[in-house]
C-alpha cells in the first residue's frame, strides 16, 4: 500500500513538472520567434467591441502577425484626455514602444490607434512597417476604414485594417509597396459608363443641330458643279515651292510635386525609436 501511494505521488510530481515545463516554454518560444512577449493585440480600452468581436479580431491579429512575422496591433481609447496626451502620434508611438510591440530587433510592425471621443485615428509604424506602410498607403487605408468608423461600426473598420495590412505586407515584400504611383485602383462603376455615353450622345446631338441650323440658306443640288459660281475659278497653272522652315524648340521641364515622391516620412518617439505613420479624422 505504501509503495502504491509513493508511486502515485511520483507520478503526480512528474505530471506537475511536465505542465510547468510546458508553461515556461510558451513565452520562451515567443521570444525565440521574434516577439518580445505574449500580449493582447486587440486592446479595446474604449469598449466599442462586443466580446465576440474582440475575440474574433484578437485571433485574426494573432494569426496574421505569426504568419507574416510582422506585428499587427489595434488599440482604442476613449479620448486623448483620458490618457493625458494631446497628440495621437505621440501616444501611438509610446504605446508601441512601452508595450514592446514589434517583431525582431527592428521591432517590425504597425499599430492602429483610434480615439473614439476625438473621432481620430492614427497608424504608427516601426522597422519594416515604415517600408510596407508609406504615407500615401496609410492615407488610402484610412479612407477604406473611415466610412465604417463614421457609422460606429468599429469591428468592420478593424477587419478592413487586418485584411489590408496583410495585402500591404505582401506587396512590400514583392518589391512594390503601396505608394503614390502604386495604390490600388478602384474599378469604375457601370453607372459611370452609362453616364459618359449619355453625355456623349447629348453633346453630339447639340453640335449636329447647331451645324444644321447654319445651313438653312443652302438648297440641295444634284451635283457638285452647281455649287461653283460661273467664272469664279480660273486655274491655269499650279505648283508647290518649299521656301523655308521655322522650327522653335522649347525645353520642357516637368515640375516635381513634393507629394509625388512617395515613401514614408519618419520621426523619433520619446523613447528614441524611429517611427513612421499618419492619421486623420472620421
Amino acid at each position: 500500500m505504501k509503495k502504491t501511494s509513493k508511486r502515485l505521488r511520483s507520478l503526480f510530481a512528474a505530471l506537475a513538472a511536465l505542465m510547468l515545463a510546458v508553461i515556461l516554454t510558451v513565452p520562451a518560444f515567443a521570444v525565440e520567434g521574434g516577439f518580445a512577449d505574449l500580449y493582447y493585440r486587440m486592446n479595446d480600452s474604449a469598449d466599442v467591441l462586443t466580446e465576440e468581436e474582440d475575440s474574433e479580431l484578437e485571433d485574426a491579429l494573432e494569426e496574421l502577425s505569426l504568419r507574416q512575422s510582422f506585428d499587427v496591433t489595434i488599440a482604442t481609447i476613449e479620448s486623448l484626455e483620458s490618457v493625458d496626451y494631446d497628440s495621437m502620434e505621440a501616444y501611438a508611438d509610446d504605446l508601441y514602444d512601452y508595450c514592446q510591440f514589434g517583431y525582431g530587433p527592428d521591432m517590425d510592425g504597425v499599430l492602429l490607434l483610434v480615439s473614439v471621443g476625438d473621432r481620430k485615428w492614427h497608424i504608427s509604424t516601426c522597422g519594416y512597417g515604415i517600408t510596407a506602410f508609406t504615407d500615401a498607403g496609410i492615407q488610402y487605408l484610412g479612407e477604406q476604414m473611415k466610412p465604417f468608423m463614421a457609422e460606429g461600426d468599429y469591428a468592420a473598420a478593424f477587419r478592413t485594417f487586418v485584411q489590408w495590412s496583410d495585402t500591404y505586407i505582401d506587396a512590400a515584400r514583392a518589391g512594390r509597396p503601396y505608394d503614390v504611383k502604386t495604390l490600388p485602383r478602384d474599378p469604375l462603376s457601370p453607372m459611370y459608363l452609362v453616364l459618359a455615353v449619355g453625355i456623349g450622345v447629348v453633346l453630339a446631338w447639340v453640335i449636329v443641330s447647331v451645324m444644321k441650323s447654319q445651313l438653312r440658306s443652302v438648297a440641295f443640288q444634284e451635283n457638285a458643279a452647281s455649287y461653283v459660281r460661273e467664272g469664279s475659278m480660273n486655274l491655269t497653272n499650279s505648283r508647290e515651292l518649299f521656301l523655308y522652315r521655322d522650327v522653335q524648340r522649347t525645353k520642357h521641364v516637368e515640375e516635381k510635386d513634393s507629394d509625388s515622391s512617395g515613401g514614408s516620412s519618419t520621426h523619433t518617439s520619446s523613447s528614441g525609436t524611429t517611427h513612421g505613420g499618419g492619421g486623420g479624422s472620421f
Side-chain angles (χ1 to χ4, degrees), residues 48 119 146-155 282:
V48 297
R119 300 185 68 82
K146 186 175 179 178
F148 299 112
M149 292 190 290
E151 295 176 358
D153 192 351
Y154 293 98
F282 58 91

Side-chain angles (χ1 to χ4, degrees), residues 228-247:
V228 181
R229 292 181 181 180
E230 186 177 354
S232 63
M233 184 175 181
N234 185 19
L235 184 63
T236 59
N237 186 23
S238 66
R239 61 177 177 169
E240 295 181 356
L241 295 176
F242 179 76
L243 299 179
Y244 59 88
R245 180 174 59 185
D246 186 11
V247 179

Side-chain angles (χ1 to χ4, degrees), residues 107-138:
M107 302 170 63
D108 302 334
V110 60
L111 163 68
L112 168 64
L113 172 67
V114 175
S115 176
V116 179
D118 301 306
R119 300 185 68 82
K120 293 181 179 180
W121 63 271
H122 188 87
I123 289 177
S124 177
T125 59
C126 191
Y128 192 70
I130 298 174
T131 300
F133 292 77
T134 64
D135 293 347
I138 288 173

